[in-house]
Amino acid sequence: MTKSLNELSIIEAASALRAKEFSVRDLWDACANAAKERNPELNAFLELFEADDAAIESAQKRIDSGHAPLLCGIPLAMKDNILIEGKIASAASKMLANYRATYDATVTKKLKEEGALFVGRTNMDEFAMGSSTEHSAYGPAKNPLDTSRVPGGSSGGSSAAVAANLALAALGTDTGGSIRQPAAHTGLVGMKPTYGAVSRSGLIALGSSLDQAGPLTKSVADAKLLYDVMKGSDPLDATTITSDTYTKKEAGATLRIGVPRHLLAEGIDEDVAAQFESTLAALEAEGHTLIDVSLPTSGYALPVYYVIMPAEASANLARFDGVRYGLAERGGTLLEDYVKSRTSGFGTETIRRILLGTFVLSSGYIDAYYRKADQARGVLRAEYDAAFESCDVIAFPTTPSPAFKFGDKSDPVSMYLEDIFTVTANLTGMPAISVPMGNVERDGVSLPTGIHFTAPLGADDLLFRIGALVTGETL
Ligand code: GLN
């Protein structure tokens, strides 16, 4: 059966464009029309952009000239917290409902230079806080594989858009799992680069020491392609790294896969655990080695994350004060201006995190909470570094369960537990990928699950290599 144009991967579309099987305009129309049709139901996009005729024509010319990069003419979806000059970037918050970006994020600029096109800006949890997209101020996005279930979060609009073939691929941001977890819940590949590998300039900041932008794609090859375009040091982000910041250990012809068995003993659905074991067994059968690794501090990763992340979020969100950006409500005094603007601009989860963050940074508690969490973060990183002495990558399931139903995790702590396997990569800065590892059944519906690999700092390419072994791609 031949695929519709919008069902193609980036690599497939790029080669068909070069073979003149269809035009850039045809490809744009296929995505834009699918998006117009499906978006009212899925709420994957907060806004669909009009066709940019000049960009479409110029992409076609570059392809016709025979010198176009692979991303040229490819329709992508952009998370609503990544700036595109002249477009609204609201981070799915009422606070920024009318905020129009005055410049391109560095990643946007790089994608534009390649000739990529943007279908629209995607729904997300407000300011990227959440694991389901239910915290969006504009209603949740739905999982196209089962619309009674979440598409994951916070980049759930991006995952829904790609899984429903409304764009060929999408950008997300990941502070504690927000690219990898929605990828797992929608059957996609999602990758969080090494901290500093991709510029944060032009991202609406959440946790500045944790945030990275990255790809959500239909294949590992597409994820690698987007990553290679986005990466690189940037004078606008002093935390970006260069290719020689980290010394690379060379992995051998077969890989040593670390499996922290002690973390997998409980809390994972039986059929998800079974998919994980059979994926590992298949890798072992191909000659790769499984090694039991111990990461004793991992049990604390979630509480450590939920101290550090709200602390940084509360500092970053202080700029939304009703004066400088976004919503401005007026009271009788300056203090009333702040209180009114922030009370009506922020949703419940955002307010909860600001309160939590302000508390852990307050003078009586900073040593007990924030500084302690920061120390534990150092221990976690040392443990991972030590584990990587004996293995090349570390594997676990991306999430303990497949996509859940709307409202199932209305208790904040149960929602935070969704991130149990993903937050450590952000705390350590290490790169990580989620790749589909097979489906499980819930209520008669077949739902995807993801396997998660973490690699040492700077070893991002190794993740594409192991990811392709799981999907059976040749890169
Ligand atoms: N779910 C996590 C949180 O709520 C991660 C969010 C993210 O990665 N942006 O903080």
Side-chain angles (χ1 to χ4, degrees), residues 440-452:
V440 294
E441 205 182 293
R442 293 287 179 279
D443 303 335
V445 184
S446 174
L447 297 169
T449 62
I451 186 166
H452 183 282

Side-chain angles (χ1 to χ4, degrees), residues 128-131 154 173-178 206 305-306 309 353 419:
M129 289 181 260
S131 312
S154 65
T173 59
D174 192 310
T175 304
S178 282
L206 178 56
Y305 172 80
Y306 277 99
M309 182 272 168
R353 306 260 184 134
D419 309 329

Side-chain angles (χ1 to χ4, degrees), residues 79 81 125 127-132 135 153-155 173-181 206 211 305-306 309-310 349 353 415-416 418-419 422-423 426:
K79 190 174 178 179
N81 60 351
D125 288 292
F127 288 108
M129 289 181 260
S131 312
S132 67
H135 297 314
S154 65
S155 312
T173 59
D174 192 310
T175 304
S178 282
I179 291 175
R180 293 160 284 153
Q181 187 259 18
L206 178 56
D211 298 343
Y305 172 80
Y306 277 99
M309 182 272 168
E349 183 62 24
R353 306 260 184 134
M415 184 77 85
Y416 299 168
E418 259 294 297
D419 309 329
T422 51
V423 295
N426 303 76

Side-chain angles (χ1 to χ4, degrees), residues 344-378:
S344 53
F346 290 142
T348 317
E349 183 62 24
T350 303
I351 290 175
R352 181 180 296 118
R353 306 260 184 134
I354 292 172
L355 291 175
L356 203 57
T358 311
F359 174 77
V360 300
L361 290 174
S362 60
S363 62
Y365 295 100
I366 189 164
D367 287 329
Y369 293 105
Y370 180 75
R371 294 218 171 93
K372 195 54 110 197
D374 202 38
Q375 282 169 344
R377 186 178 188 178

Side-chain angles (χ1 to χ4, degrees), residues 95 327 329 337-347 351:
M95 182 60 91
L327 189 83
E329 302 235 326
D337 290 356
Y338 291 158
V339 172
K340 279 191 149 192
S341 303
R342 288 170 70 83
T343 305
S344 53
F346 290 142
I351 290 175

